[in-house]
Amino acid sequence: MFRVSAWRVAVMVFAGTLSAACLHGAHAEPLNPQRDSEVIEVLPAGGMAAEDRKLRRLWVNQPTDATTAVSLARRYLSRARELGDPRYAGQALAVLQGWPDPKAAPDDVLLLQATVQQYLHEFELSAAHLELLVARRPDHGQAWLTLATVRRVQGRYAASDEACRGLLAAGVHLESQACLAENASLRGENDGARRTLQQLLAAPRLPASTRSWLLTTLAELEQRDGHPEAAESAFKKALEAEPGGYTLLTYVDFLFDQNREEEALALLVPQPRTDAVMLRLAMVGARLKTPHAAVDARIVRESMAQANLRPGARSTHAREQAMFALWVDDHPAAALELARENVRKQREPLDLLVLAHAARASGDAKAMREADQLRKEMGLHDQRLDALL
């Protein structure tokens, strides 16, 4: 079974997740729970497990043993995804540094290098590695799937279609059909895409992760097609199949867009305080003027400032910083600058929506024309953009 987590580029990462001590440290406002059941904080997992330490010792002794390196790097990448902390992804790449020439790298190493680069938004480098791998191994379904995702995130739907068809040629039928359906829906071909997704969902004994992924894809289609009730139904079914992760954050964004901040807050409070969750807590808190809004905003602001000390970090996480500038700091001009920087490399519907919102809030007609031209060049159809532009 292919890892459908590769279908989604990691959502909203911009700095290391801050600890609970940072949340409730010397600069934080005191929290006074009113009842025993009130959730104050959900802590991430602790340090490396014993198995991780064992693998690291093996890798130190044999840094070019591919099996050990891949196992350890996968653990680091998993931790990066779990915590929303790209520093672990950097460690994963460091573990794979024994193969500086991608042409000489084993298949598993090459795929993992590309997957980590995808996570870090190094999309062109990731695609180059993946194209090398599928040229070597045309039957490598996971490589085709990841390549399709990377090209979609870049707004290159035709190139993504090619990778989807490569997936079909590799004998991976369900993922290939869903891949092509998502691209079709992005181009506005919603009726056919909807039918395909519903047919795939009707298959018996679907794994929970696959069902959640298909339902989330359907929910996003319905959002773009202007059917919020259908979108909400699909989101809820997706979360029933597999709670948390990308689906939960996307549903929170849906609720925020619908001005249903109280419901969004209720979903966010029990979640581990990853950067993605903290950003949304700050956004929701700013609208609701919650007691902890200032603390949440300060934590995110400090996290972004720390991240920006690293070379290239601002461009890598410009979307999240634009969202914060627009919906928390109420600085539309700064948000517009960041949103423009972001769409130079990342062009998912959310990226264009942030750009359009920032352009409208700034009253910048030129920027609105730029956003409209960009979506036309991509071939993206989204009724939310229609309403803004």
Side-chain angles (χ1 to χ4, degrees), residues 67 264 275 287:
T67 301
D275 286 337
R287 276 199 184 171

Side-chain angles (χ1 to χ4, degrees), residues 142-161:
Q142 188 68 57
W144 284 117
L145 181 61
T146 308
L147 180 58
T149 302
V150 170
R151 291 310 192 194
R152 182 181 303 113
V153 169
Q154 292 180 302
R156 297 176 56 180
Y157 302 144
S160 183
D161 281 344

Side-chain angles (χ1 to χ4, degrees), residues 233-255:
S233 175
F235 273 129
K236 288 182 175 179
K237 290 176 183 176
L239 288 169
E240 287 173 6
E242 191 171 66
Y246 175 90
T247 300
L248 184 135
L249 292 172
T250 309
Y251 183 43
V252 165
D253 290 344
F254 168 82
L255 294 172

Side-chain angles (χ1 to χ4, degrees), residues 104-255:
D107 292 350
D108 286 352
V109 170
L110 194 55
L111 175 64
L112 195 52
Q113 286 174 333
T115 305
V116 177
Q117 289 154 353
Q118 172 204 25
Y119 177 88
L120 293 171
H121 296 189
E122 297 173 1
F123 299 125
E124 276 304 319
L125 191 56
S126 175
H129 281 68
L130 291 164
E131 287 171 348
L132 179 61
L133 179 52
V134 296
R136 180 196 299 174
R137 286 275 312 280
D139 63 339
H140 203 305
Q142 188 68 57
W144 284 117
L145 181 61
T146 308
L147 180 58
T149 302
V150 170
R151 291 310 192 194
R152 182 181 303 113
V153 169
Q154 292 180 302
R156 297 176 56 180
Y157 302 144
S160 183
D161 281 344
E162 290 180 15
C164 297
R165 287 190 283 269
L167 193 60
L168 181 61
V172 186
H173 297 278
L174 183 148
E175 284 84 353
S176 175
Q177 291 177 68
C179 181
L180 289 166
E182 180 164 4
N183 290 346
S185 75
L186 288 164
R187 290 189 291 259
E189 301 163 14
N190 291 307
D191 291 343
R194 185 183 291 109
R195 283 194 299 271
T196 296
L197 292 171
Q198 289 171 343
Q199 289 167 1
L200 294 174
L201 282 162
R205 297 182 296 280
L206 279 177
S209 60
T210 302
R211 180 171 177 78
S212 178
W213 158 54
L214 292 171
L215 283 163
T216 302
T217 303
L218 180 61
E220 291 175 313
L221 177 159
E222 301 294 4
Q223 267 191 289
R224 292 189 298 271
D225 202 26
H227 301 135
E229 291 183 0
E232 180 159 20
S233 175
F235 273 129
K236 288 182 175 179
K237 290 176 183 176
L239 288 169
E240 287 173 6
E242 191 171 66
Y246 175 90
T247 300
L248 184 135
L249 292 172
T250 309
Y251 183 43
V252 165
D253 290 344
F254 168 82
L255 294 172

Side-chain angles (χ1 to χ4, degrees), residues 320-377:
E320 290 71 47
Q321 298 196 33
M323 293 168 71
F324 186 85
L326 183 60
W327 285 304
V328 181
D329 279 345
D330 193 23
H331 289 163
L336 179 57
E337 179 185 354
L338 288 158
R340 276 174 160 156
E341 184 174 353
N342 175 58
V343 296
R344 293 189 187 111
K345 63 189 301 186
Q346 180 168 285
R347 296 177 174 181
E348 293 185 278
L350 178 58
D351 299 301
L352 271 73
L353 282 167
V354 173
L355 176 62
H357 275 293
R360 177 176 280 273
S362 301
D364 191 324
K366 179 182 177 183
M368 292 182 70
R369 289 194 297 272
E370 288 173 5
D372 191 38
Q373 181 61 30
L374 179 56
R375 69 159 173 166
K376 288 176 180 175
E377 290 174 359

Side-chain angles (χ1 to χ4, degrees), residues 13 17 33 44 57 64 68 79 81-82 88-89 184 194 202 218 238 261 263 279 301 335 341 364 386 388:
V13 293
T17 304
R57 286 194 298 269
T64 57
T68 301
R79 194 157 181 78
R81 286 171 168 160
E82 175 189 353
Y88 288 103
R194 185 183 291 109
L218 180 61
E261 294 86 0
E263 295 171 69
L279 172 63
R301 191 176 294 108
E341 184 174 353
D364 191 324
D386 294 342
L388 289 168

